[in-house]
DNA sequence: TCAATGATTGAG
DNA sequence: TCAATCATTGAG
């Protein structure tokens, strides 16, 4: 079947807004990922994080060159970078052109009966074969792109959890991470399905800090 | 130039 | 708890 005829990507103005708001609103929307052989996969966005130019944890904090230059481009583009020398992370640029901002995709829920391991920012890019070389700066609002963001069912506030971000060393206090409550595809380190020793072990943890 | 680091993950 | 592994960063 020809799916392309029905594809209506999220419009660029959706991304041309405050980054934190875009991160929250992206939950429930979908990612269409095409492969080299004409096939595609459809996934639901269930966990995101926001990064802005004013944010110490953002790659664009205090700089405009190198990889950070992508974050100043027009909204709705892919920002893909390599982390820890082995994993790619997928983001979408936000804010008007000239202002830095991006939303990191931390977890996706496979639709169409797929069972891809897409829980976790490094896992989802590996499962969908997303790389900096092939996907950085592609237009996620273009119907023909290898990666396209599609409208999905909106998620009410009552189903969304807002917390601090994962794995960062700066800006740790900012509550800029969003995920769908109870969704089994939310990344494990995110503490969603199994948070066992949070209650008993108190001040031994290094990155645990709940306001 | 060169050493340190990180928006992670899987193994031990 | 810790190593894998490299583009990017910041110091010399």
């Amino acid at each position: 079947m020809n799916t392309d005829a029905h594809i209506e990507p999220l419009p660029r103005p959706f991304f041309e807004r405050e980054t934190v708001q875009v991160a929250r609103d992206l939950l429930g929307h979908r990612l269409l990922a095409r492969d080299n052989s004409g096939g595609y996969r459809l996934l639901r966005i269930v966990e995101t994080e926001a990064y802005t130019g004013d944010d110490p944890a953002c790659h664009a904090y205090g700089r405009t060159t190198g990889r950070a230059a992508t974050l100043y481009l027009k909204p709705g583009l892919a920002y893909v970078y390599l982390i820890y020398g082995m994993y790619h992370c997928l983001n979408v640029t936000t804010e008007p052109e000239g202002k830095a901002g991006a939303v990191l995709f931390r977890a996706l829920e496979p639709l169409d009966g797929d069972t891809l391991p897409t829980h976790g920012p490094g896992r989802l890019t590996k499962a969908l074969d997303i790389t900096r070389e092939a996907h950085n700066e592609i237009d996620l609002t273009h119907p023909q792109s290898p990666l396209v963001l599609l409208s999905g069912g909106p998620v009410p506030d009552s189903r969304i959890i807002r917390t601090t971000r994962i794995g960062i060393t700066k800006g740790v206090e900012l509550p800029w991470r969003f995920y769908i409550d109870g969704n089994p595809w939310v990344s494990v380190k995110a503490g969603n399905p199994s948070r066992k020793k949070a209650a008993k072990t108190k001040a031994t943890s290094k990155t645990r800090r709940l306001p």
Side-chain angles (χ1 to χ4, degrees):
Chain A
M1 101 165 62
N2 184 359
T3 58
D4 288 30
H6 304 290
I7 290 179
E8 278 190 52
L10 289 171
R12 198 174 309 286
F14 177 91
F15 304 99
E16 196 165 10
R17 300 181 294 144
E18 186 189 351
T19 304
V20 176
Q21 192 61 48
V22 175
R24 181 256 175 265
D25 290 345
L26 271 173
L27 296 180
H29 290 305
R30 297 168 297 166
L31 177 70
L32 176 69
R34 295 187 170 92
D35 60 29
N36 300 325
S37 55
Y40 68 91
R41 297 178 190 283
L42 198 55
L43 308 99
R44 184 167 175 246
I45 300 165
V46 299
E47 181 181 355
T48 62
E49 282 179 0
Y51 291 85
T52 78
D54 298 330
D55 164 23
C58 184
H59 292 166
Y61 184 70
R63 69 177 82 78
T64 60
T65 60
R67 64 178 178 180
T70 302
L71 296 167
Y72 292 86
L73 301 179
K74 65 182 178 182
L77 303 185
Y79 170 53
V80 184
Y81 65 92
L82 185 67
I83 190 65
Y84 298 122
M86 38 173 52
Y87 297 105
H88 293 276
C89 287
L90 173 66
N91 305 244
V92 57
T93 58
T94 58
E95 310 278 354
E97 182 168 11
K99 185 174 182 181
V103 172
L104 168 69
F105 295 93
R106 287 197 56 91
L108 304 172
E109 174 184 0
L111 303 175
D112 300 334
D114 275 333
T115 56
L116 296 171
T118 50
H119 48 99
R123 285 192 183 118
L124 73 89
T125 53
K126 184 182 177 186
L128 299 175
D129 199 28
I130 296 171
T131 63
R132 169 178 157 82
E133 298 73 39
H135 300 93
N136 191 43
E137 296 187 8
I138 66 170
D139 191 350
L140 301 181
T141 71
H142 192 289
Q144 318 278 23
S145 287
L147 297 171
V148 190
L149 287 169
L150 306 178
S151 178
V155 181
D157 286 340
S158 60
R159 300 297 302 157
I160 293 180
I161 305 290
R162 175 177 184 163
T163 65
T164 53
R165 296 171 294 181
I166 303 290
I168 53 175
T169 58
K170 305 165 201 165
V172 295
E173 75 285 354
L174 299 172
W176 287 359
R177 167 167 166 258
F178 301 87
Y179 63 90
I180 298 178
D181 190 17
N183 189 289
W185 288 92
V186 169
S187 59
V188 174
K189 191 176 179 182
N192 186 44
S194 61
R195 45 173 317 167
K196 34 195 174 184
K197 44 192 171 186
K200 299 214 166 179
T201 50
K202 286 195 89 176
T204 45
S205 182
K206 46 183 179 183
T207 54
R208 268 304 157 197
R209 197 167 307 177
L210 295 180

